[in-house]
Amino acid sequence: MSMTLVLLAWAGNTVRTAVEARLGQEPRSFPQREREFSVNVLTLTPQTIVPELTVYGELRSQRMLDLRSATGGIVRDASAALVEGGAVSAGQFLLRIDPVEAEAALARIRADVQDAQAELRDAERALVLGQDELAAARAQAALRDQALARADDLQARGVGTTAAVEDAELAASSAAASVLTRRQSIASAEARIDQATTRLARVQIDLAEAERNLAETEISAAFDGTLSDVTISPGGRVTANELFARLVDPTALEVAFRVSTSQYARLLDPAGNLTDAPVTVALDASGVNLTALGRITREGASVGTGQTGRQLFAQIDSAPGFRPGDFVTVRIAEPALDNVALLPATAVGSDQMLLTVDEGDRLQPVPVDVLRRQGDDVIIAAAGLAGLTVVMERSPLLGAGIKVRPIRPGVLAEQAVPQMISLDADRRARLIAYVSEGRMPDDVKARIIAQLEQDQVSSETVERLESRMGS
């Protein structure tokens, strides 16, 4: 028991001495190193850029014709191309409606034309006869006047009688009345000719209409195109003005798209007129991109109920593979901007600031004016910013005054050769003890201890371990 008590007292004194020695030691301090961040940078270079506006639109055909039947009836014949998607050429026969009724109406009108022509000829002959009768009546009246003059002369010489003069006057008066009657007959004949001419004109109009009705029983294509919405076939019946197909020209295409008011304002010239800006139309068809070029031609007359912005139309030059109704992407080339720069959108913060790297590799914020946003990039005004080194990707860890390690695009980072240093025995022992007591995997401990036991040790490894020991 005495020996046990002595051993316990000795152990307690040893523990107390160790604790006092530990408490009496000065705290170890290790030099702290400023943390650096690697950032991707680029040099800002002013240039002239043509901004590109991206919108979406729908293709339309500039030539689209509704095929309608002018007359009703049964379809007697139809072209083999009169099907959905059938390709036809200008003047090609499409269908024929039963022309029996139109032919009968045309025959009746032709008979009426013959009657009117005969009536006109009869009236003209009557006028000629009336003119001859008027000439005869005037000749007879002239003879009666001469007889009256002789009777007056004889009476004046005392040879003739008063009764003879009166008979001559009566005969002259009757001849004058006959001339007046013949003149009235000629006026009636001329009126008859006018009526016959008018009737002939009316029946000729009816004849032209009947011929047109007969011609409209046969329908042909007005231009080269493709048929759609076909609803008729041989033997079917159509009514007057019934829509039985549409003829679409797939080569004369235009795209209709809508832009915002601010985007529309950028497409105006100094006079306020819409410019014929070039456009590129793209259609992603199962991974195969179809593209076509065109130019803006006009704008919509009104905004439309429930719509915003402006509707524009662009004519497409050549668009193989495109069809009306396709939903396409439209890229519009805006007027060029001078003295600007193109940067990734991540380079500009929400406060419209850039982070630049000064000569000491420290960050400095610089305000910028964002002119356009194009997808993942922005176009900024580069006045006074030429040659600045700009951080391409901002993060919450970056701010004014922070030291960075710039990494320029296109340049491979040189592998830094680790600096090797020699360790004294105490420093090496402290590091090995720290690694051995640390919470690292055994294989990692073995690898680091093997490095520390070498004559030359990487300064980066030593600094990293000592920074952790001092934290």
Coordinates of all heavy atoms in Angstrom, one line a residue, residues 98 170 177 235 239 337 345-346 421 426 441 451 466:
D98 N -69.5 20.2 -114.9 CA -70.5 19.8 -116.0 C -71.0 21.0 -116.6 O -71.7 21.9 -116.0 CB -71.6 19.0 -115.4 CG -72.5 18.3 -116.5 OD1 -72.2 18.6 -117.7 OD2 -73.4 17.6 -116.2
L170 N -103.9 74.5 -152.3 CA -104.3 73.3 -151.6 C -103.3 72.1 -151.9 O -102.9 71.4 -151.0 CB -105.7 72.9 -151.9 CG -106.8 73.8 -151.3 CD1 -108.2 73.4 -151.8 CD2 -106.8 73.8 -149.8
A177 N -97.4 68.8 -146.3 CA -97.8 67.9 -145.2 C -97.2 66.5 -145.4 O -96.8 65.8 -144.4 CB -99.3 67.8 -145.1
G235 N -66.8 13.6 -109.6 CA -68.1 13.1 -109.2 C -68.7 13.9 -108.1 O -69.9 13.8 -107.8
T239 N -70.8 24.1 -105.0 CA -71.7 25.2 -105.1 C -70.9 26.4 -105.6 O -69.7 26.4 -105.5 CB -72.4 25.5 -103.8 OG1 -71.4 25.8 -102.8 CG2 -73.2 24.3 -103.3
L337 N -21.8 49.4 -84.5 CA -21.5 50.2 -83.4 C -19.9 50.4 -83.4 O -19.2 49.4 -83.5 CB -21.9 49.6 -82.1 CG -23.4 49.4 -81.9 CD1 -23.7 48.8 -80.6 CD2 -24.2 50.8 -82.0
A345 N -21.0 37.9 -70.6 CA -22.0 38.5 -69.8 C -21.6 38.4 -68.3 O -22.0 39.2 -67.5 CB -23.4 37.9 -70.0
T346 N -20.8 37.4 -68.0 CA -20.4 37.2 -66.6 C -19.4 38.2 -66.1 O -19.0 38.2 -64.9 CB -19.8 35.7 -66.4 OG1 -18.8 35.5 -67.4 CG2 -20.9 34.7 -66.6
I421 N 13.3 23.3 -50.1 CA 14.0 23.9 -48.9 C 14.5 22.8 -48.0 O 14.0 21.7 -48.1 CB 13.2 24.9 -48.2 CG1 11.9 24.2 -47.6 CG2 12.7 26.1 -49.0 CD1 11.0 25.1 -46.7
D426 N 14.3 20.1 -35.5 CA 13.1 20.5 -34.7 C 11.9 20.8 -35.6 O 10.8 20.3 -35.4 CB 13.4 21.7 -33.9 CG 14.4 21.4 -32.8 OD1 14.6 20.2 -32.5 OD2 15.0 22.3 -32.3
P441 N -6.2 10.3 -44.0 CA -6.1 8.9 -44.2 C -4.7 8.4 -44.1 O -3.7 9.2 -44.3 CB -6.6 8.7 -45.7 CG -7.4 9.9 -45.9 CD -6.8 11.0 -45.1
Q451 N 7.7 12.5 -47.8 CA 8.2 13.8 -48.4 C 9.0 14.6 -47.3 O 10.0 15.1 -47.6 CB 7.0 14.6 -48.9 CG 6.4 14.0 -50.1 CD 5.2 14.9 -50.6 OE1 5.0 16.0 -50.1 NE2 4.5 14.3 -51.6
E466 N 2.2 24.3 -42.2 CA 2.4 25.3 -41.1 C 1.2 26.2 -40.9 O 0.9 26.7 -39.8 CB 3.7 26.1 -41.3 CG 4.9 25.2 -41.1 CD 6.2 26.0 -41.3 OE1 6.1 27.1 -41.9 OE2 7.3 25.5 -40.8

